[in-house]
Amino acid sequence: MGEDSSTAPRKIVALKPSLCLHFIMSIITRRNFFQRTGMAAAGGIALPGLLSASLRAETEPNWITKPEWLNLTRESAIEPELPIIDPHHHLWDRSQLADRYMLEELIEDTRDHNIRQTVFVECSAMYRADGLEEFRVVGETEFVQGVAAMSASGAYGEMRAATGIVGAANLCIGERVAAVLEAQIAASPQRFRGIRQRAAWGDSAYIRALGGWPSTPANLPRRILLDSDFRKGYAQLRTHGLSFEGWVFHTHIDDLTDLAKAFPDTTIIFNHLGGPIGVESYAGRRDEVFAAWKLSVAELAKCPNVVAKLGGLQMIVNGYDWHKRDKPPTSDQLLETNRDWYNYTIDQFGPDRCMFESNFPVDKLSCSYTVLWNQFKKLTKNFSKDERADMFHDTAMRVYRLTRV
């Protein structure tokens, strides 16, 4: 992508290497995507050349979570007593970017629904500042282990945060990753459950950034799940009793299916319904994307070692632009838009292989936590009690090997 042709003066701030790493890697968070990759960012940071022309034309308020805007749509929780395990959320404290989502924010968001437990999923938070590069990811697990211990004390309420932890590792280093996996498990022996290495590759820098495609190492293969070195590392997951979070866009779901077939003894959790893309060259092609997505999901569902997370459709990459509207969507509006994606996935996998997820705070750009879970409850009102228990609680408890709370 070419340099910005604008002649407007910019303030350039030099960042220390450790801050640069977190700055670039943290683009998975839509809340500050504009701030971290555009001009006019927090602290006067400018990184020209990383944004498409259409994104540069956006105004900053379109790219940050706005509490006052979220409060324009308020709903009471439906069935507030229904037990829920939220199997996918993030935690971070990036104070230099005015971006914080810690235990206190999680508690505030979850207070209306009966969230019993949560599972933390990696997001490049709190990596170690020094030591061997491949082991720096362990810092994130150490950080979340501390947050989980705070929650387990009972001092913050009945909910138990991060009873399961999914961390990061570069599986492309092959068999050498075994030592990293062992360090991750040692950092949280009672909670560490799996690995996510993001594989959401797109054909533009913008789409790759929205999917959190890592900036380092720079030579990662585009179809990483098919890479022979990656698979040598992936084979270590079974040895260590760990699952794998499959985060791909809809264009690469078939690669995840190939991986699942090659390693039938390793559990794969299909993230965010395979990230249907609805921006840039995919904008205005919803029916075409849906048709291709259905074929790929049907094949993936044939693999008994794969389970599906239902959620993550409120991201910018999905192209619905909820965050640009005058008011946030209601649960009815979300359901009307998302129903077909959810129903097809449930039909293919079955309720006992599905689990609803929040993907907060990423999806918080588009809607509140209460509205999001009201959508899921309305979607499943005609399912049986046991089927609903699976999707809201029991599938997550089984897959992540959690103790009932």
Side-chain angles (χ1 to χ4, degrees):
M1 192 175 297
E3 292 293 314
D4 186 356
S5 58
S6 172
T7 58
R10 304 175 199 155
K11 180 181 179 182
I12 306 296
V13 176
L15 302 178
K16 63 182 181 180
S18 61
L19 184 54
C20 285
L21 174 64
H22 286 291
F23 184 90
I24 298 298
M25 290 294 289
S26 62
I27 53 178
I28 188 174
T29 70
R30 299 179 310 164
R31 177 179 179 184
N32 273 336
F33 178 82
F34 180 88
Q35 292 172 304
R36 269 166 281 186
T37 55
M39 304 179 299
I45 297 168
L47 296 177
L50 293 181
L51 297 183
S52 62
S54 60
L55 185 53
R56 291 194 206 106
E58 297 285 355
T59 57
E60 181 180 340
N62 280 341
W63 297 95
I64 58 175
T65 299
K66 303 181 287 294
E68 68 283 357
W69 178 79
L70 288 172
N71 287 333
L72 294 177
T73 298
R74 289 181 174 272
E75 295 182 359
S76 297
I78 298 171
E79 301 175 84
E81 74 287 347
L82 182 68
I84 295 170
I85 294 176
D86 183 350
H88 197 113
H89 72 86
H90 309 295
L91 296 167
W92 51 63
D93 187 358
R94 295 159 180 153
S95 299
Q96 74 278 10
L97 299 169
D99 187 8
R100 188 180 194 273
Y101 199 78
M102 295 288 285
L103 181 59
E104 294 82 359
E105 287 77 18
L106 179 65
I107 291 170
E108 175 67 19
D109 282 339
T110 59
R111 63 181 180 177
D112 291 339
H113 291 284
N114 185 20
I115 310 299
R116 307 306 303 159
Q117 308 180 62
T118 74
V119 176
F120 168 87
V121 177
E122 67 83 29
C123 54
S124 303
M126 301 295 182
Y127 284 4
R128 294 173 179 172
D130 48 30
L132 293 175
E133 183 68 33
E134 59 207 45
F135 285 91
R136 293 185 182 185
V137 295
V138 180
E140 181 172 57
T141 301
E142 295 167 332
F143 152 60
V144 180
Q145 172 74 356
V147 174
M150 291 171 61
S151 178
S153 74
Y156 296 84
E158 294 184 0
M159 182 190 71
R160 296 295 178 260
T163 53
I165 296 175
V166 174
N170 180 13
L171 300 177
C172 290
I173 65 175
E175 294 177 355
R176 289 193 296 113
V177 80
V180 179
L181 301 181
E182 290 163 5
Q184 290 279 36
I185 294 170
S188 182
Q190 71 276 54
R191 296 184 176 95
F192 198 80
R193 294 294 184 265
I195 291 294
R196 183 169 79 160
Q197 182 164 357
R198 300 170 219 157
W201 191 89
D203 55 9
S204 77
Y206 174 41
I207 292 177
R208 290 195 294 276
L210 292 179
W213 182 260
S215 59
T216 57
N219 60 344
L220 286 176
R222 296 179 178 182
R223 302 182 69 179
I224 190 172
L225 302 182
L226 304 182
D227 180 71
S228 59
D229 289 332
F230 169 88
R231 292 194 171 194
K232 289 175 183 176
Y234 186 89
Q236 295 296 317
L237 297 181
R238 177 179 59 183
T239 302
H240 291 82
L242 299 174
S243 59
F244 181 73
E245 302 282 323
W247 170 220
V248 296
F249 288 138
H250 79 273
T251 49
H252 290 84
I253 295 175
D254 294 344
D255 291 356
L256 190 63
T257 302
D258 189 274
L259 183 68
K261 290 178 178 178
F263 296 88
D265 295 332
T266 300
T267 297
I268 292 176
I269 299 96
F270 181 44
N271 283 194
H272 312 330
L273 301 180
I277 305 173
V279 297
E280 292 203 327
S281 63
Y282 295 93
R285 298 166 55 191
R286 189 77 61 194
D287 291 345
E288 178 185 342
V289 169
F290 185 64
W293 172 87
K294 287 202 305 182
L295 293 175
S296 293
V297 168
E299 285 301 310
L300 179 64
K302 293 176 183 178
C303 302
N305 56 322
V306 180
V307 297
K309 284 181 176 174
L310 306 173
L313 285 180
Q314 283 67 235
M315 294 188 286
I316 290 176
V317 73
N318 304 125
Y320 292 111
D321 287 345
W322 297 112
H323 62 296
K324 296 181 181 180
R325 303 191 182 196
D326 292 337
K327 293 178 61 177
T330 64
S331 54
D332 287 334
Q333 289 172 320
L334 285 178
L335 183 57
E336 180 181 0
T337 299
N338 297 331
R339 183 193 304 271
D340 291 345
W341 303 96
Y342 294 140
N343 280 337
Y344 187 80
T345 305
I346 295 169
D347 287 345
Q348 296 303 309
F349 281 88
D352 63 335
R353 292 169 60 203
C354 289
M355 60 182 98
F356 290 114
E357 57 158 329
S358 73
N359 192 36
F360 259 49
V362 181
D363 280 29
K364 192 175 181 178
L365 182 72
S366 296
C367 66
S368 72
Y369 200 94
T370 302
V371 165
L372 180 71
W373 287 91
N374 278 351
Q375 169 203 207
F376 296 147
K377 291 177 178 180
K378 290 177 179 180
L379 173 74
T380 58
K381 64 181 181 179
N382 294 324
F383 284 77
S384 72
K385 181 179 179 180
D386 288 345
E387 289 172 332
R388 298 184 88 214
D390 281 335
M391 291 184 283
F392 283 97
H393 186 278
D394 293 354
T395 299
M397 187 171 67
R398 183 185 74 250
V399 170
Y400 289 109
R401 296 169 281 135
L402 306 177
T403 301
R404 187 178 297 273
V405 173

